[in-house]
Amino acid sequence: MNPIARLFGWAALVFGLLYFFIPLTGLVEFSLKARRGVYSLDAYAKVIGDPEFQATFGYSVLMALVTIVIGVLIVVPTAFWVRLKMPWARPYVEFITLLPLVIPAIVIVFGYIRLYNTSSWLPMTGSVMGTNILLAFGYTVLALPYMYRAVDTGLRTIDVATLTEAAQSLGAGWGTILGRIILPNVLVAVLSGAFLTFAIVIGEFTLAALLDRPAFGPYLQRIGANKPYEPFALAVISFGITWACMGLIQLVTRFSKHTRAQN
Amino acid sequence: MAFLEISHLEKSFGANRVVKDFNLDVDKGEFISLLGPSGCGKTTVLRMVAGFENPSSGAIRIGGTDLVGKRPNQRNIGMVFQAYALFPNLTVAENVGFGLKIKGAPRAEIDRRVAEMLALIGLPDLGGRYPFQLSGGQQQRVALARALAPKPQVLLLDEPLSALDAKVRVSLRNEIRAIQRELGITTIFVTHDQEEALSISDRIVVMNGGIADQVGTPFEIYNRPSTRFVAHFVGQLNVFSTDGAGNLAGVQLGAGRDFAARPEALHLGRAPGTDIVLPARISEVHFLGSVIRLTADAAGARVSLDTFNRPDVPPPAIGTDVELSLSSRDLIPLG
């Protein structure tokens, strides 16, 4: 590489890092200024000690786990079947899984409210449990593009058809093939999808707010509107959660036997 | 009654008939090879026996029981794939024991059988390794052990040696044959490699365009091919055309027919017992170690002949005029 190109590369990298880190540094710095004149973790202590933070964060974590389970149960068999028996359907399935990226969450939630309100044939919004289920399915839809792509990429790394036939010739049925052969071999991909889903659900505002559920997203918004320093501490915490998820994706990829086999 | 009967088997993909009226009877313990070029339907036949493809018509019976309509996991047929298909998330021992675990065999029996199978394939100490820690040859041995562990009625081998290097391929094919003989398991082996098929089979089915062109022992297939395709596909062939009166080098053979001779049937010089002598000019010399393959222009055709290497007799130089001889008994009439 010639020196000018190298210099340009470095300049682009430095610009990108500054673009990303300067606002973030401001955010972190301001979150530490709750006590006048000195840096302190007061804002963080206040946020973490807030019972509402614990309740909403706990609720969102639970909803994220439920969403991941539903997502895995829907996406893994679908992606497996499309790859194995219906490769012609792949473009259609990909298109459907991409729809949540172009249809805003607010449209989805208004659709839900219209379809499942208390005077509808399936009044899911009439009970707390029904609304929770609706919210989990809504989150599943929002996470679908990420989960499907992650799982599909994972399936691409293994010879799905031959492994399936090998398992069948040894007497395995579909449940065994999915549970003992396919899922463990795409576990890294599923975990990647799961961590992305977790990050999406933890910060999601629209669905939770409009379905009136006590989730972390609406809590973030409420605190942001009413408190000076705590919202910045919460924003840093949210960043931390997302980065932790990304780090975990890297970690499970590195420690995967299957991935090592590819190298 | 044959142990495995395949009768009037047909398979079409849309308008494309890939297997046409395929019939085969296999005795218990027999080793059969399906040999043919790519796209001849040999793998499709194998996949129909395994249950991965449904026949368009026809029957597949094992021990008198019709398998058509049964799912692959209900057939008790072991299969080894070209791409090994070991489960990457399971150890060697877990792979080998997988079929028995599915059957609900007790832990002790699984452990005993896994140890037995690993000893059989010569890898008794590798049970704890993962597939990615094994060489290609080792992986294919494990795949064989995995297929054999649940004691299948029939073993299917779908080009299991194609992905291996030449040396491993030869040693593993001998091992496969030895294990098959030891266990007495009925085996169908799919290959496009004629040398492989000739060296390990009890009988060979030569397939062409979805049809079984000839079924016979390796000796019959090589020495008495029944069709022009079989003659050309199995082994090297020199084709001679007779003159208008049906003569080749003055020997009456029959008018209007072509005749073929294997390279080893041609001799350099006048050999005893031969009745056809052809003047020829050497055009190529290939030294192959124990054998020297010569190419010569003779009787209006380019022919190959093999001679054993003798250190005291150097091969003829390119351009040398020589005489080639052969016995008319060694000629194969081509239909």
Side-chain angles (χ1 to χ4, degrees), chain A:
Chain A
M1 196 189 285
N2 69 52
I4 293 174
R6 189 185 290 249
L7 194 69
F8 183 79
W10 276 106
L13 179 69
V14 170
F15 177 77
L17 288 174
L18 290 176
Y19 185 86
F20 182 73
F21 278 108
I22 287 175
L24 203 62
T25 311
L27 184 77
V28 174
E29 203 241 353
F30 191 75
S31 73
L32 298 172
K33 280 186 163 177
R35 199 179 300 173
R36 193 177 292 272
V38 286
Y39 288 127
S40 75
L41 294 170
D42 287 2
Y44 293 88
K46 223 181 251 183
V47 162
I48 291 166
D50 182 358
E52 208 186 341
F53 167 84
Q54 292 159 13
T56 56
F57 190 72
Y59 177 84
S60 284
V61 167
L62 183 67
M63 290 307 290
L65 296 177
V66 172
T67 305
I68 289 165
V69 172
I70 297 171
V72 169
L73 289 177
I74 291 173
V75 169
V76 174
T78 306
F80 167 69
W81 202 252
V82 166
R83 200 156 265 283
L84 188 68
K85 300 276 184 187
M86 301 163 69
W88 55 267
R90 213 158 149 243
Y92 304 105
V93 176
E94 285 200 351
F95 176 75
I96 291 167
T97 60
L98 279 174
L99 282 179
L101 292 181
V102 288
I103 299 174
I106 196 152
V107 174
I108 293 171
V109 75
F110 273 118
Y112 281 177
I113 292 168
R114 175 112 182 122
L115 269 175
Y116 304 115
N117 63 48
T118 47
S119 55
S120 74
W121 63 279
L122 188 59
M124 291 188 76
T125 56
S127 67
V128 169
M129 183 51 81
T131 316
N132 285 341
I133 292 169
L134 208 53
L135 184 62
F137 278 105
Y139 284 155
T140 307
V141 170
L142 292 185
L144 204 56
Y146 310 100
M147 185 59 106
Y148 185 82
R149 247 138 223 85
V151 172
D152 194 47
T153 305
L155 287 173
R156 206 174 298 165
T157 63
I158 59 171
D159 186 349
V160 173
T162 314
L163 289 180
T164 302
E165 287 177 356
Q168 280 181 310
S169 72
L170 293 164
W174 291 116
T176 310
I177 292 167
L178 264 173
R180 288 204 204 162
I181 305 300
I182 301 300
L183 191 59
N185 282 303
V186 295
L187 198 58
V188 173
V190 170
L191 285 173
S192 299
F195 291 133
L196 285 170
T197 303
F198 188 86
I200 290 165
V201 171
I202 288 295
E204 204 284 329
F205 169 77
T206 314
L207 289 182
L210 288 163
L211 287 173
D212 194 27
R213 301 309 305 137
F216 191 57
Y219 171 74
L220 272 175
Q221 185 275 333
R222 222 168 27 253
I223 292 288
N226 300 313
K227 301 269 175 81
Y229 297 103
E230 287 83 344
F232 295 92
L234 274 172
V236 173
I237 291 170
S238 297
F239 265 116
I241 292 166
T242 307
W243 286 346
C245 288
M246 300 300 152
L248 284 171
I249 291 172
Q250 295 299 319
L251 207 64
V252 291
T253 306
R254 183 169 297 182
F255 287 104
S256 148
K257 282 185 220 104
H258 183 247
T259 310
R260 270 191 287 144
Q262 304 283 310
N263 294 335

Side-chain angles (χ1 to χ4, degrees), chain B residues 249-325:
Chain B
V251 177
Q252 176 67 36
L253 296 173
R257 297 186 78 176
D258 287 342
F259 291 85
R262 300 289 183 197
E264 64 272 20
L266 289 166
H267 306 280
L268 196 59
R270 291 175 186 242
T274 57
D275 52 353
I276 300 171
V277 178
L278 302 166
R281 176 167 287 173
I282 300 295
S283 55
E284 285 175 38
V285 178
H286 296 285
F287 186 76
L288 306 174
S290 60
V291 169
I292 298 168
R293 174 153 292 179
L294 304 171
T295 305
D297 296 314
R302 176 155 282 208
V303 297
S304 292
L305 71 148
D306 292 343
T307 60
F308 282 114
N309 173 34
R310 285 171 55 193
D312 52 329
V313 181
I318 293 171
T320 311
D321 289 322
V322 294
E323 280 185 333
L324 305 180
S325 61

Side-chain angles (χ1 to χ4, degrees), chain B:
Chain B
M1 193 174 71
F3 178 64
L4 168 63
E5 294 170 85
I6 302 174
S7 46
H8 305 294
L9 200 66
E10 297 257 351
K11 179 67 185 176
S12 300
F13 293 106
N16 186 19
R17 275 175 81 204
V18 292
V19 176
K20 301 164 193 164
D21 196 27
F22 184 88
N23 295 283
L24 180 66
D25 285 349
V26 184
D27 290 331
K28 202 171 173 68
E30 207 176 1
F31 194 113
I32 296 279
S33 290
L34 303 185
L35 175 67
S38 296
C40 71
K42 55 191 189 299
T43 296
T44 308
V45 170
L46 196 82
R47 289 175 62 78
M48 284 192 279
V49 175
F52 300 136
E53 302 285 355
N54 290 318
S56 303
S57 64
I60 301 165
R61 292 189 198 87
I62 293 182
T65 308
D66 195 357
L67 297 182
V68 175
K70 276 193 175 182
R71 291 199 293 271
N73 57 345
Q74 298 169 328
R75 296 191 179 203
N76 194 21
I77 289 177
M79 184 143 173
V80 177
F81 299 83
Q82 182 182 344
Y84 321 135
L86 293 179
F87 306 132
N89 57 311
L90 303 182
T91 63
V92 165
E94 286 166 342
N95 263 285
V96 175
F98 185 84
L100 293 166
K101 201 171 175 184
I102 296 294
K103 280 186 171 175
R107 186 76 251 168
E109 190 193 324
I110 295 174
D111 291 344
R112 185 190 56 73
R113 184 73 177 154
V114 167
E116 195 182 313
M117 286 292 108
L118 291 180
L120 185 73
I121 58 165
L123 303 172
D125 303 322
L126 301 188
R129 291 211 187 158
Y130 283 93
F132 74 88
Q133 295 170 312
L134 305 178
S135 69
Q138 288 173 328
Q139 288 192 53
Q140 202 55 295
R141 281 187 185 87
V142 174
L144 179 66
R146 183 181 67 176
L148 292 169
K151 298 184 178 167
Q153 305 182 83
V154 172
L155 177 65
L156 307 177
L157 306 165
D158 186 9
E159 307 211 26
L161 308 172
S162 303
L164 304 170
D165 63 62
K167 209 168 180 181
V168 177
R169 205 154 56 209
V170 172
S171 72
L172 189 53
R173 83 178 180 212
N174 294 336
E175 280 180 47
I176 288 174
R177 183 56 163 148
I179 289 169
Q180 185 271 336
R181 278 209 178 102
E182 190 180 330
L183 301 177
I185 186 166
T186 311
T187 303
I188 301 181
F189 178 80
V190 161
T191 182
H192 60 263
D193 185 328
Q194 40 163 309
E195 190 193 320
E196 243 168 56
L198 290 169
S199 66
I200 60 171
S201 315
D202 288 321
R203 282 190 298 150
I204 297 172
V205 181
V206 183
M207 290 189 68
N208 178 30
I211 293 167
D213 248 24
Q214 186 176 358
V215 182
T217 62
F219 186 84
E220 288 165 349
I221 295 284
Y222 188 79
N223 294 308
R224 289 194 284 279
S226 62
T227 68
R228 186 180 281 263
F229 172 79
V230 175
H232 275 283
F233 188 73
V234 180
Q236 277 244 334
L237 210 60
N238 299 306
V239 180
F240 299 102
S241 300
T242 53
D243 61 20
N247 293 323
L248 176 64
V251 177
Q252 176 67 36
L253 296 173
R257 297 186 78 176
D258 287 342
F259 291 85
R262 300 289 183 197
E264 64 272 20
L266 289 166
H267 306 280
L268 196 59
R270 291 175 186 242
T274 57
D275 52 353
I276 300 171
V277 178
L278 302 166
R281 176 167 287 173
I282 300 295
S283 55
E284 285 175 38
V285 178
H286 296 285
F287 186 76
L288 306 174
S290 60
V291 169
I292 298 168
R293 174 153 292 179
L294 304 171
T295 305
D297 296 314
R302 176 155 282 208
V303 297
S304 292
L305 71 148
D306 292 343
T307 60
F308 282 114
N309 173 34
R310 285 171 55 193
D312 52 329
V313 181
I318 293 171
T320 311
D321 289 322
V322 294
E323 280 185 333
L324 305 180
S325 61
L326 75 155
S327 166
S328 55
R329 288 193 312 271
D330 292 336
L331 285 170
I332 303 163
L334 298 176

